[in-house]
């Protein structure tokens, strides 16, 4: 069982997300279930379970997806780009690009225009955007 998570820069309800996520995962919309329905199935293959939490702040919709499909690294980045365009909103995912040992609390923000930014989690869960130095900028 694999899982991945992302946050959306606006409030998104399950019924809005369901067909968009299904199309991006290559599934029929009927295969996207709530988390409770997903765990209640005896056979979870070819299905995805979704839990949504709403929080205050710049990325108010936090989405957890459970499925047999593996989405991490570049595949998660490509999914975030597609979701950003489809939802017309920035998508925040874990930083899989930076060459650091621990990326906990570091994120990539993908925008509908295809641009992306780096961010980190500050005190209280606030997401702060930053532009990390590039190799040519140092020294």
């Amino acid at each position: 069982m694999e899982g991945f998570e992302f946050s959306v820069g606006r409030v998104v309800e399950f019924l809005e997300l369901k067909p968009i996520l299904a199309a991006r995962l290559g599934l029929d919309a009927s295969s996207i279930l709530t988390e409770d329905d997903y765990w209640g199935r005896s056979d979870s293959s070819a299905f995805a379970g979704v839990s949504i939490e709403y929080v205050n702040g710049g990325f108010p919709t936090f989405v957890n997806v459970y499925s047999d499909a593996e989405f991490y690294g570049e595949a998660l980045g490509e999914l975030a780009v597609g979701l950003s365009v489809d939802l017309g909103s920035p998508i925040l995912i874990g930083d899989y690009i930076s060459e650091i040992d621990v990326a906990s609390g570091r994120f990539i923000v993908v925008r509908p225009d295809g641009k992306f930014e780096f961010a980190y989690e500050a005190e209280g869960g606030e997401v702060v955007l930053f532009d990390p130095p590039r190799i040519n900028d140092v020294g």
Side-chain angles (χ1 to χ4, degrees), residues 4-113:
F4 59 93
E5 57 192 34
F6 60 91
S7 293
V8 185
R10 66 177 179 85
V11 173
V12 177
E13 301 291 334
F14 176 75
L15 291 178
E16 178 186 5
L17 181 62
K18 181 177 179 170
I20 292 169
L21 186 59
R24 291 289 170 184
L25 296 178
L27 297 171
D28 184 86
S30 64
S31 296
I32 304 294
L33 308 172
T34 64
E35 180 182 11
D36 290 341
D37 290 342
Y38 177 78
W39 292 118
R41 293 191 59 81
S42 58
D43 174 23
S44 63
S45 62
F47 289 91
V50 175
S51 71
I52 297 177
E53 295 177 41
Y54 300 101
V55 298
N56 292 327
F59 290 85
T61 305
F62 177 75
V63 181
N64 258 315
V65 180
Y66 306 93
S67 82
D68 287 341
E70 294 184 23
F71 280 91
Y72 56 90
E74 194 171 308
L76 181 58
E78 290 174 9
L79 177 64
V81 169
L83 291 172
S84 180
V85 170
D86 294 345
L87 293 169
S89 179
I91 301 293
L92 179 125
I93 59 172
D95 181 356
Y96 67 90
I97 295 174
S98 295
E99 295 180 6
I100 57 174
D101 291 337
V102 178
S104 180
R106 292 177 53 105
F107 306 99
I108 297 172
V109 177
V110 180
R111 303 211 174 268
D113 63 5

